[in-house]
Amino acid sequence: MNGQNVRWGILGPGGIASTFAADLPLVPGAELAAVGSRSAATAEAFARKHGFARAHGSYADLAADDGVDVVYVATPHAFHLEGAMLCVEAGKAVLVEKPITLDLPSAAQLVQAARTRGVFLMEAMWMRLNPAIRKIAELVAGGAIGSISAIHADFGLQGPFAASHRLRDPALGGGALLDLGVYPIHLTHLILGVPATAHAWAHLTPEGVDENTGVLLGYASGAVAALTCSINGASKNTASITGTDGRIDLPEGFMVPRSFVLNRPGRAPETFELPFEGSGYQFEAAEVQRCLLAGELESPLMSHDTTLEVMNLLDTLREQVGVVY
């Protein structure tokens, strides 16, 4: 690191990396240091577009760049482990796009490698770092809506997607659950933790990935969560958290909210506005930088345990619906 500045590298300059890179200048102290791709031309074009200082024609060269402090791994799901492990073994801090890997064993392998080498690692579940989501968690923890009884959330994209699209290609970790279902599941985990029971049903594509999935989670407290995700229809993409003393409603695009409504009996609905610039990726980047500058190896807001608990749940659900990678 250079003083209070943190030097960023990006591994896998695709669409999500482009959005992340566009938000990085919103983070004080973020330096756009280097980009790594399997194609030198692709890396150079990305670096020019977003203002990165250097471009590398291989992931290994990026991992070996002494002018990079932390690497954002933005390849498709199936290649997260390979790219992240390369960086961890080179001693680089790593922010890995969600889901961190395809399954619990590989996620645990990556976490253990980071801990053994003493380098920072975080899964890029940006929703949990969003200001509105953090405010909701604070309100719930403070008893604003009483004891939680139910969570409802859905995330569906309008299809159809071609069989070769990453959302349908099993070789790329395709399917609704790992790409979209992680948002309803992470919201539920943030509020209620690990469920006592988990049940899922899904309709699979001819390629064998889930295209329309329902999940029902049960908790020892008596709370339930009813969650859906799909790649064959645009749902409302909203969420609600119901408690014994009220309800919090998240609007369309609940995974990146700029507002929410607190409803309580006998009171007027209270709208919380938490606007921000950009697409919302700057908050996870800022948390990474805070941790690095403080010498922390994981974030309390998106811990290793959280990553492993959610991945364990995803494995359970995926086994129930019959999706195999």
Side-chain angles (χ1 to χ4, degrees):
M1 285 173 283
N2 183 15
Q4 292 298 301
N5 289 354
V6 174
R7 301 168 297 181
W8 283 87
I10 288 186
L11 188 155
I16 192 70
S18 187
T19 305
F20 181 85
D23 277 359
L24 266 184
L26 297 172
V27 183
E31 287 189 20
L32 283 61
V35 180
S37 172
R38 290 190 169 124
S39 160
T42 299
E44 288 164 6
F46 189 96
R48 283 195 304 271
K49 177 180 178 182
H50 293 287
F52 281 79
R54 295 178 300 284
H56 297 290
S58 75
Y59 297 156
D61 285 348
L62 173 65
D65 189 330
D66 289 336
V68 170
D69 300 311
V70 56
V71 175
Y72 170 58
V73 175
T75 50
H77 310 337
F79 307 117
H80 286 177
L81 177 63
E82 173 193 357
M85 192 65 79
L86 186 67
C87 295
V88 166
E89 291 177 347
K92 293 287 190 291
V94 186
L95 174 67
V96 189
E97 186 50 48
K98 57 80 191 163
I100 194 167
T101 60
L102 288 181
D103 55 29
L104 179 61
S106 56
Q109 178 188 352
L110 185 56
V111 167
Q112 185 57 49
R115 288 174 173 170
T116 298
R117 292 186 173 269
V119 300
F120 177 89
L121 172 70
M122 187 175 99
E123 184 178 13
M125 176 38 73
W126 58 312
M127 180 186 72
R128 293 179 84 125
L129 283 301
N130 176 280
I133 296 294
R134 293 182 65 180
K135 182 63 177 179
I136 288 169
E138 176 188 315
L139 287 169
V140 169
I145 58 172
S147 299
I148 304 304
S149 56
I151 295 178
H152 298 81
D154 67 283
F155 191 177
L157 294 180
Q158 183 62 53
F161 296 95
S164 59
H165 193 282
R166 68 172 184 83
L167 287 172
R168 284 185 58 179
D169 187 348
L172 298 179
L177 183 63
L178 286 198
D179 205 272
L180 309 178
V182 291
Y183 290 101
I185 287 171
H186 264 281
L187 178 66
T188 304
H189 181 277
L190 176 65
I191 301 301
L192 291 173
V194 177
T197 63
H199 301 281
W201 180 92
H203 184 263
L204 306 188
T205 68
E207 302 78 38
V209 301
D210 63 302
E211 67 174 354
N212 194 28
T213 306
V215 173
L216 184 65
L217 306 178
Y219 292 81
S221 65
V224 297
L227 317 172
T228 63
C229 55
S230 69
I231 56 173
N232 63 1
S235 56
K236 289 182 68 177
N237 296 338
T238 59
S240 64
I241 303 167
T242 303
T244 53
D245 298 325
R247 188 184 72 250
I248 293 173
D249 292 326
L250 286 82
E252 183 176 1
F254 78 89
M255 67 294 303
V256 57
R258 289 169 165 82
S259 67
F260 63 90
V261 179
L262 172 61
N263 298 279
R264 289 185 281 193
R267 307 188 192 185
E270 186 177 355
T271 299
F272 288 75
E273 300 280 357
L274 294 96
F276 54 83
E277 295 181 70
S279 299
Y281 288 86
Q282 66 267 37
F283 303 113
E284 63 181 0
E287 174 63 6
V288 170
Q289 292 192 181
R290 186 200 66 76
C291 290
L292 293 180
L293 293 169
E296 299 175 16
L297 297 183
E298 62 180 300
S299 167
L301 300 176
M302 186 60 215
S303 68
H304 296 167
D305 284 348
T306 290
T307 286
L308 297 177
E309 288 170 1
V310 171
M311 188 56 73
N312 183 49
L313 177 56
L314 290 171
D315 276 10
T316 298
L317 300 173
R318 192 161 52 81
E319 181 179 8
Q320 290 180 9
V321 302
V323 173
V324 178
Y325 296 123

